Amino acid sequence: MRLVIMGPPGAGKGTQAVVVAQSLGVPHISTGDIFRANVSQGTPLGEEAQRYMDAGEYVPDSITNAMVRDRLSRDDCDPGFLLDGYPRTLEQVNELDAMLRSDGRAIDKVIELTVDTEAVVQRLLNRAQEQGRSDDTAEVIRRRLEVYFEQTAPLTSVYRERGLILEVDGMGDVPVVTERILSALSG
Ligand code: AMP
């Protein structure tokens, strides 16, 4: 199973991705988590990524694609993977296709979590208070949503044309949404 999970910031993507990946026995690959780990370790990649993240902007494709290429080449991805937060631009979609194609692989399904945008903003503001993420101020949250709707939401139509989209209602308690995702995947 080679999967992608998509949805606006605050849709609960990360939370669902962890549980779903575990239940399918594939690695959960979150580009946001990899960037954050690099920021906290003070690596050159982290230093480069941080200024984009703090502004709510996307890290440049060249940096992000190289990082994902490296991660997907590891042995633990042989049985599959769940990508969370990637691809986010058309160039990333194309690059992901190319990386997989070179090994005779392809994406099997794309889970699209749908949510009510107002509820999402509230969820992000709550998370900002609980976790103190530096990219979770009201202004940056608004910018992240804008960037998502401009650059990433349109990508679902690329995957829809390929017949890969599984649309899942992301509103509700975590276990309820997990169950919806797992049943969509097995259906
Ligand atoms: P996330 O935790 O997925 O919301 O990602 C947090 C931040 O990391 C984003 O707001 C971006 O600045 C950066 N980021 C994560 N994934 C990507 C990606 N695929 N392309 C560009 N930037 C990304």
Side-chain angles (χ1 to χ4, degrees), residues 49 51-60 140 143-144 146-147 151:
R51 52 201 175 101
Y52 297 100
M53 297 170 76
D54 283 351
E57 304 293 339
Y58 288 166
V59 177
V140 175
R143 182 62 195 146
R144 287 171 64 217
E146 251 172 43
V147 172
Q151 298 200 43

Side-chain angles (χ1 to χ4, degrees), residues 13 30-33 35-36 52-53 56-59 61 64 84-88 92 133 135 144:
K13 248 185 318 153
S30 156
T31 43
D33 284 354
F35 283 133
R36 279 185 288 278
Y52 297 100
M53 297 170 76
E57 304 293 339
Y58 288 166
V59 177
D61 286 334
T64 310
D84 161 16
Y86 181 94
R88 267 171 147 114
Q92 292 179 13
R133 271 179 53 163
D135 59 351
R144 287 171 64 217

Side-chain angles (χ1 to χ4, degrees), residues 165-180:
I165 290 274
L166 295 172
E167 205 176 295
V168 175
D169 177 5
M171 301 304 291
D173 291 340
V174 172
V176 173
V177 177
T178 305
E179 206 36 59
R180 285 183 199 137

